[in-house]
Amino acid sequence: MSIVTTGRAPNRHGLTLTAGCSLSAAPPSVLICVNRSAGAHETILSSGSFCWNILGVEHRDLARKFSGQDGSKGDIRFGDGLWCDLKTGAPSLVGAVCSFDCRVVNAYSDSSHTIFTGEVVAQTTRAGCESLVYIDGCFAAPKAV
């Protein structure tokens, strides 16, 4: 599971992402799919950047918050967790398994979503942690699945 974040305080937005993957090693790039109705969508377009934060098992509550399960929206979602800026200014989750700070290269509309491709301009990693997964409607540790 992961959270995509964008914008700067007090206009930060983010969402729990279900569709993203690596795109290229040279230059390092990724793609994410964002519903056009998501609050983060327009901010990704206007800021030209996003940070893809891969979550550890200890981030279950953040995954729920950024999925909107608690009803929160916008900058209020950033009240939990520690956040910093890498290169683009998009919020990066301190302690994430990995964070990819990206500059938007292209945006392709398809049905209800936009496919954003981003060049990775900075990243952080944390060794020795277990990633969070989503299966059967629950956030879980892979070994529990």
Side-chain angles (χ1 to χ4, degrees):
M1 288 305 307
S2 56
I3 292 173
V4 167
T5 54
T6 188
R8 294 176 187 248
N11 297 310
R12 296 175 293 186
H13 292 276
L15 64 133
T16 300
L17 186 73
T18 56
C21 66
S22 80
L23 180 61
S24 170
S29 54
V30 300
L31 70 80
I32 61 168
C33 302
V34 178
N35 193 306
R36 284 196 297 279
S37 68
H41 184 273
E42 292 305 312
T43 307
I44 293 171
L45 283 173
S46 64
S47 70
S49 65
F50 62 88
C51 190
W52 184 16
N53 301 278
I54 311 300
L55 302 178
V57 294
E58 69 275 19
H59 299 123
R60 276 188 186 101
D61 290 342
L62 277 177
R64 286 186 191 99
K65 180 175 282 295
F66 278 79
S67 71
Q69 291 181 13
D70 70 349
S72 66
K73 294 182 180 186
D75 201 69
I76 195 75
R77 291 181 176 175
F78 294 87
D80 294 334
L82 279 173
W83 303 91
C84 71
D85 297 342
L86 296 179
K87 193 168 183 179
T88 68
S92 173
L93 176 61
V94 174
V97 173
C98 186
S99 292
F100 300 101
D101 190 25
C102 300
R103 176 183 62 82
V104 173
V105 175
N106 286 300
Y108 305 97
S109 285
D110 188 4
S111 188
S112 60
H113 287 65
T114 298
I115 302 164
F116 291 99
T117 63
E119 180 181 2
V120 178
V121 297
Q123 80 174 62
T124 63
T125 57
R126 184 171 61 109
C129 50
E130 192 170 17
S131 296
L132 183 67
V133 298
Y134 186 77
I135 189 164
D136 293 331
C138 297
F139 296 106
K143 65 182 171 192
V145 175

